[in-house]
Amino acid sequence: MSARGDGGLHLQKHYGQGSFAELLMVPTENAFPMGAIDPAEAGRWNALSVCLVPYGRLLAADLRAGETVLVSGATGNVGSAGVAVALAMGAGCVVAPGRNQDMLTELEDRFGSRLRVVPLSGDENENENEDHDRMKQAAPGPIDVVLDLLPPSAWTTPVRAAAMTVREYGRVVLMGGVGMLGGEDLALPYPWIMRNSITVRGQWMYRPQANTRLIELARFRLLDLHHFDVTEFALDIANKAIEHATDSNGPEARYRIAPSCFLRPHHGGHGLGLLAQSARRHRDPAILARITREHWGVETL
């Protein structure tokens, strides 16, 4: 996706196939075994790639069971995944501020009583104190961790209002995009940080160990993958998947693009999904050879 320096650029020369390829080569240390899964659930397991982003931040925050977490940016794609992951890690309560009331209602319906939603004012320079107070009042007690996931288009005011809700000795983890497109930088009061012993930490993505730990959270169903609504598309109609994703508004929506033979029958492009199932059922070598030759461009799998 990106290379932060010469090392990353060097790797990209050797591992240039993106994840939309049917076959791709990756460094061994970037491949993590998932164990046996139901093929029909493969699309839901793809949601882990999004969940890993907030999971790395929550590990950096040393989130502990029973603590209260505020997820700034909870109505977005990564933010809503952060809500799910925080609850899976044992957060007693998650506070979810946002300006989109429809999305807040949807999150409330999905996650129930352990989630407290907070409608924000939406003003760039006004009502920062009001938003700050509203977020603190929504929590059942002191807020232990604040996780910022707001995008580059966001103003600094909601980031600061959220960050300053954290309790004495609390932790604030920054991994949004504020300031990346220019404009005002985030300012936090030095005396407030110092006198309240606040930890402010930046965290880019996640450490490799997070992959294995998140897989276990999902395997033991602490992280419920059924929170994610997955729509599947065959590889040869990938443009339709993009159109569908553009029209969707749900933060829980996920889209899976895969070779037709890997999809469930009703999603198989040009009937190849049904053909593959028939071939496997009857062990027909001629049909299997046709699928591998025409769809993957190889003679055998």
Side-chain angles (χ1 to χ4, degrees):
M1 214 166 67
S2 64
R4 298 176 62 193
D6 292 339
L9 290 171
H10 180 71
L11 277 177
Q12 286 186 353
K13 293 178 183 177
H14 297 277
Y15 302 100
Q17 298 90 348
S19 58
F20 287 146
E22 295 184 25
L23 298 173
L24 60 152
M25 181 169 61
V26 298
T28 304
E29 60 268 30
N30 287 82
F32 295 87
M34 294 173 60
I37 65 172
D38 181 352
E41 294 293 311
R44 296 191 189 280
W45 282 85
N46 281 350
L48 291 187
S49 61
V50 179
C51 293
L52 268 168
V53 180
Y55 184 54
R57 282 62 165 178
L58 292 167
L59 288 177
D62 191 25
L63 175 62
R64 300 168 189 177
E67 290 190 316
T68 295
V69 181
L70 186 147
V71 178
S72 182
T75 56
N77 183 33
V78 177
S80 63
V83 172
V85 172
L87 293 172
M89 293 174 70
C93 176
V94 174
V95 179
R99 295 190 301 273
N100 189 322
Q101 184 59 59
D102 290 340
M103 296 299 182
L104 291 175
T105 301
E106 190 171 322
L107 287 172
E108 204 168 22
D109 291 342
R110 284 168 58 200
F111 295 109
S113 61
R114 289 169 64 198
L115 182 74
R116 307 287 178 86
V117 300
V118 184
L120 298 180
S121 64
D123 295 325
E124 180 175 0
N125 296 312
E126 300 178 5
N127 300 326
E128 180 178 341
N129 292 335
E130 181 182 331
D131 285 342
H132 168 271
D133 293 343
R134 195 178 294 147
M135 286 186 268
K136 288 192 72 171
Q137 291 165 7
I143 295 173
D144 303 286
V145 174
V146 171
L147 177 63
D148 177 68
L149 294 168
L150 285 170
S153 58
W155 307 312
T156 58
T157 46
V159 180
R160 182 167 47 248
M164 294 186 67
T165 63
V166 77
R167 65 167 171 83
E168 186 179 6
Y169 291 99
R171 292 97 73 199
V172 179
V173 180
L174 303 176
M175 196 278 150
V178 169
M180 293 178 67
L181 298 179
E184 182 184 0
D185 199 1
L186 176 65
L188 293 173
Y190 188 112
W192 171 78
I193 295 173
M194 182 266 293
R195 298 187 72 176
N196 289 286
S197 304
I198 304 298
T199 299
V200 180
R201 172 170 177 165
Q203 177 66 39
W204 175 244
M205 303 305 280
Y206 42 85
R207 293 180 177 273
Q209 303 93 310
N211 292 270
T212 302
R213 293 171 68 174
L214 187 63
I215 289 169
E216 293 306 306
L217 279 179
R219 183 164 296 286
F220 290 110
R221 301 192 178 183
L222 295 170
L223 175 61
D224 187 356
L225 297 179
H226 288 87
H227 282 307
F228 303 101
D229 180 20
V230 180
T231 305
E232 299 179 326
F233 293 85
L235 191 63
D236 50 1
I237 54 170
N239 286 343
K240 290 189 180 300
I242 295 171
E243 292 171 7
H244 196 279
T246 302
D247 294 336
S248 173
N249 292 318
E252 81 290 346
R254 299 291 181 270
Y255 304 92
R256 180 189 181 210
I257 300 175
S260 301
C261 294
F262 292 156
L263 298 180
R264 286 168 281 186
H266 61 283
H267 291 295
H270 302 308
L272 278 170
L274 290 170
L275 184 61
Q277 285 207 339
S278 174
R280 294 189 190 99
R281 187 180 306 115
H282 298 292
R283 301 290 193 270
D284 189 322
I287 295 178
L288 283 173
R290 175 187 159 194
I291 293 171
T292 55
R293 184 171 58 253
E294 294 182 3
H295 201 57
W296 278 282
V298 296
E299 291 300 322
T300 59
L301 287 178

